[in-house]
Amino acid sequence: MIPVPSGVKVWLATGHTDMRKGFAGLSLQVQEVLRHYPHGGHLFVFRGRRGDLIKVIWHDGQGACLFSKRLERGRFLWPSPADGVVTITPAQLGYLLEGIDWRHPQQAWRPGASG
């Protein structure tokens, strides 16, 4: 898991992205499409057309990091381009990286509930 410091936002690039892009190409997309500064310490997440690959770029203060994850089965749940700019919490990013529906995670147990 990416060690996300407190106060860091996670931005999703809605729609799909050309996954051949590296840090320079994705950083340019952050600037031009998301209108953010890619070296500001926030995480920017991109998903490919097939939906089974995501890339995360992050500048940790010392340098640029590029993380990627490909699911062996299934797809990453992703907002549509009509949703506009989407920000999620680091906890939701954890769900996303596990292939769980980050919009509606289900709690398996609730305090005080019988069963």
Side-chain angles (χ1 to χ4, degrees):
M1 182 64 185
I2 302 168
V4 181
S6 63
V8 169
K9 290 187 178 179
V10 181
W11 298 92
L12 302 182
T14 59
H16 63 271
T17 302
D18 181 353
M19 289 287 104
R20 295 173 293 184
K21 292 182 179 183
F23 189 83
L26 295 175
S27 294
L28 186 62
Q29 188 167 346
V30 168
Q31 289 176 323
E32 293 181 349
V33 177
L34 299 177
R35 303 279 189 233
H36 288 285
Y37 180 59
H39 300 286
H42 297 294
L43 281 81
F44 300 95
V45 188
F46 303 87
R47 188 184 87 150
R49 182 179 300 274
R50 291 190 333 205
D52 64 341
L53 175 65
I54 61 171
K55 288 187 176 182
V56 180
I57 61 170
W58 173 46
H59 196 280
D60 66 358
Q62 295 179 322
C65 305
L66 177 61
F67 301 95
S68 65
K69 181 169 183 176
R70 182 180 308 273
L71 291 177
E72 292 179 11
R73 289 185 303 236
R75 295 176 172 212
F76 292 104
L77 295 172
W78 209 247
S80 73
D83 293 329
V85 177
V86 175
T87 181
I88 62 174
T89 67
Q92 288 173 311
L93 175 62
Y95 288 125
L96 174 68
L97 292 173
E98 292 298 321
I100 297 170
D101 186 350
W102 53 271
R103 299 165 299 186
H104 306 288
Q106 297 295 315
Q107 202 172 27
W109 176 83
R110 291 192 176 109
S114 61

